[in-house]
């Protein structure tokens, strides 16, 4: 299978499966577009492609590109009806395969170079950055994008999705957390040396490049994109710095992150379903060039109450990256699932409970890993529970988790500025707390005399009786089951 | 008359008739709507005192029902000159042609 090389191919595929809608009437970038995308997320509607934007002839929007498992399946070249466990299996298969390095193409072969604005001409107000929600601290240019940077010593490249607000025609501010890959390099290797850090923001990246940019994987994102696509991604050199960007991206903004200037960023509607993180002086991006395709399509993610792609996709990749991590440590897990409606705060881990303390071991690995800042609850259940079935998980939580013995609180952990439950002080300093809910039967209980028996149709009737009842179900007079 | 907006934590951040440094954004319609300037300005709850109008939001985006008038005394440069487009950029372009 080959991945969609750009959003145009992706949109065409989504239209075929009924997962995109083209809006031909004019839409205002000032809140109307945001409101459409928000309602799409809350009603689980198809992705909107807006063909005509007020004040910006020629520009287009695509909203909520990956806010459903159907669209995620299509982005991976799969049938939109594929069930989540199969999509997950495919992601694991591809991301466990050999890395696929990107290839460099000439500028003349890169559609993103069709229009080039340099220096004073590179004015952010020439792009239809939307005011996504009323009351937001600014128009957000980067909501479904990748910020590309390089480590000056190792030359290793990072693509990360870190939100970017337009401050004025030439500057953007961003919420780059200190524990993110970009944050670590900037605060360690640029800011203290007073050196400006080149960046390139890619808006409307190919769909699987966006997946890679928000996946918490240790594999460098250009290679990860190739693995997800099943072929190398084509990159092209930047105009003003020594970075490379996807040749089939819609829009690229190039410039430098200033080591000694901070402008205000936020507030902004966030994936938790609130506006939580404080307005603060944050990392500041100064713009030197803008390049874009003809009829460019700006991508918009609108974060708020479920379900947006921040929740859906991050839950998907956080869960599966934890799956890989736990298996790499030899933990006998059966799977990991993070429900998007938890706003990526709750990990459900299925395990074969072979020894004592296994739930705590899982919690410690999860919270202690690179994934840890982004969630704070781990629910550990045994292999009789279907981790994808919330009714079963909730039943286990409500019945097997001893309030005094099985809830393990981890204090003084890494948190994020976005946690609605955290105090203002905790948010400012990324301070977090975590909790493990151990829903396993204690390993020292006698399985015959101490472990309760689950009372369900499946578990307390002989097979013959179950089959007889099922076979006679309509004959008894019950309506047919779907 | 221009319409501006500012974010504050509390209305006490807007004492009247003294010179303040504020990041304000324009609410005038068009492509530049919502872009910020960092300015020296005076404000007043008396709407007739200064030429422009200022509305206020709090830290989580809530709109205040108090309105102010504002006079902009001068604009402050945010990005130092050394970062502006210049010879180094032109040389880089020439080299990569
Ligand atoms: C829509 C969206 C917006 C995000 N915004 C931010 C952000 O502003 N700051 C941040 O540090 N992470 C943000 N994230 C999470 C990062 O994309 C995620 O942690 C990613 O794995 C970053 O990669 P890194 O490990 O290379 O830093 C966002 C994710 C999504 C889906
Ligand atoms: Mn990274």
């Amino acid at each position: 299978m080959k991945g969609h090389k750009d959003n145009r191919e992706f949109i065409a595929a989504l239209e075929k499966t009924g997962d995109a809608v083209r809006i031909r009437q004019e839409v205002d970038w000032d809140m109307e577009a945001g409101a459409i995308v928000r309602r799409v997320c809350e009603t689980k509607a198809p992705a909107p492609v807006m063909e005509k934007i007020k004040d910006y002839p020629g520009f287009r929007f695509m909203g909520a590109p990956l806010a459903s498992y159907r669209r995620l399946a299509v982005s991976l070249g799969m049938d939109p009806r594929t069930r989540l466990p199969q999509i997950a299996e495919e992601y694991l298969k591809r991301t466990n395969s050999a890395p696929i390095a990107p290839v460099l193409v000439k500028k003349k072969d890169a559609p993103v170079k069709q229009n080039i604005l340099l220096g004073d001409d590179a004015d952010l107000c020439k792009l239809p950055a939307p005011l996504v929600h009323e009351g937001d601290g600014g128009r957000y240019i980067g909501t479904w994008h990748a910020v590309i940077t390089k480590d000056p010593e190792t030359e290793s490249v990072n693509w990360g999705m870190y939100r970017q607000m337009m401050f004025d025609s030439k500057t953007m501010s961003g919420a780059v957390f200190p524990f993110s890959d970009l944050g670590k390099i900037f605060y360690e290797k640029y800011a203290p040396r007073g050196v400006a850090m080149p960046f390139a923001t890619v808006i409307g990246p190919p769909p699987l490049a966006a997946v890679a940019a928000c996946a918490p994987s240790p594999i460098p994102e250009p290679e990860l994109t190739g693995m997800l696509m099943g072929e190398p991604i084509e990159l092209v050199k930047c105009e003003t710095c020594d970075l490379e960007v996807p040749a089939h991206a819609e829009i690229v903004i190039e410039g430098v992150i200033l080591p000694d200037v901070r402008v205000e960023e936020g507030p902004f509607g966030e994936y938790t379903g609130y506006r939580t993180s404080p307005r603060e002086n944050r990392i500041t991006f100064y713009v030197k060039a803008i390049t874009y395709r003809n009829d460019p399509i700006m991508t918009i993610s609108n974060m708020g109450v479920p379900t947006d792609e921040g929740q859906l996709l991050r839950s998907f990749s956080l869960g599966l990256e934890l799956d890989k991590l736990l298996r790499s440590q030899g933990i006998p897990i059966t799977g990991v699932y993070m429900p998007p409606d938890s706003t990526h705060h709750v990990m459900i881990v299925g395990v074969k409970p072979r020894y004592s303390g296994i739930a705590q071991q899982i919690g410690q690995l999860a919270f202690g890993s690179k994934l840890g800042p982004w969630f704070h609850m781990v629910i550990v259940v045994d292999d009789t529970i279907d981790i994808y079935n919330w009714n079963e998980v909730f039943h286990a939580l409500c019945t097997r988790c001893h309030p005094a013995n099985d809830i393990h609180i981890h204090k003084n952990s890494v948190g994020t500025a976005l946690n609605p439950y955290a105090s203002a002080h905790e948010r400012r300093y990324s301070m977090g707390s975590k909790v493990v809910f151990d829903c396993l039967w204690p390993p020292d209980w006698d399985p015959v005399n101490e472990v309760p028996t689950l009372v369900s149709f499946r578990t307390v009737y002989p097979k013959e009786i179950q089959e007889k009842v099922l076979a006679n179900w309509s004959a008894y007079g019950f309506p047919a089951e779907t | 008359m221009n319409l501006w907006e500012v974010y504050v934590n509390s209305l006490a951040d807007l004492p009247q008739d003294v010179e303040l440094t504020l990041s304000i954004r324009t609410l005038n319609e068009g492509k530049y709507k919502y872009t910020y300037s960092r300015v020296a300005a005076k404000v007043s709850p008396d709407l007739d005192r200064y030429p422009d109008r200022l509305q206020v939001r709090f830290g989580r985006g809530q709109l205040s029902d108090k309105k102010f008038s504002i006079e902009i005394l001068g604009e402050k440069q945010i990005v130092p000159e050394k970062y502006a487009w210049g010879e180094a950029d032109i040389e880089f372009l020439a080299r990569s042609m």
Side-chain angles (χ1 to χ4, degrees), chain A residues 90-142:
Chain A
E90 186 64 23
Y91 176 93
L92 288 172
K93 196 176 96 201
R94 293 190 198 177
T95 59
N96 281 323
S97 63
I100 300 181
V103 294
L104 199 62
V105 301
K106 294 212 167 64
K107 288 187 182 174
K108 67 172 178 43
D109 298 322
V112 72
K113 303 290 188 185
Q114 282 164 347
N115 302 276
I116 298 177
L117 304 174
L118 297 170
D120 288 344
D121 278 345
D123 176 343
L124 291 170
C125 292
K126 291 180 180 171
L127 304 176
L131 188 79
V132 179
H133 321 90
E134 198 240 4
D136 282 350
R139 293 164 65 177
Y140 275 75
I141 291 197

Side-chain angles (χ1 to χ4, degrees), chain A residues 158-159 162 181 217 221 370:
Chain A
N158 186 56
W159 298 359
Y162 315 106
D181 284 349
S217 162
E221 292 83 1
K370 179 181 177 12

Side-chain angles (χ1 to χ4, degrees), chain A residues 185-255:
Chain A
I185 304 291
F186 176 74
Y187 288 115
E188 189 184 324
K189 300 186 178 175
Y190 284 95
R193 297 173 193 170
V195 177
M197 178 181 198
F199 78 92
T201 292
V202 182
I203 300 164
L208 295 176
V211 170
C214 61
S217 162
I219 303 166
E221 292 83 1
E223 279 79 11
L224 185 63
T225 305
M227 294 155 80
L228 289 168
M229 290 176 65
E231 64 181 332
I233 182 164
E234 292 184 359
L235 303 181
V236 64
K237 281 191 181 305
C238 280
E239 297 302 299
T240 62
C241 63
D242 200 14
L243 292 170
E244 289 151 10
V245 292
H248 297 270
E250 296 289 332
I251 301 169
V252 167
I253 301 169
E254 302 178 16

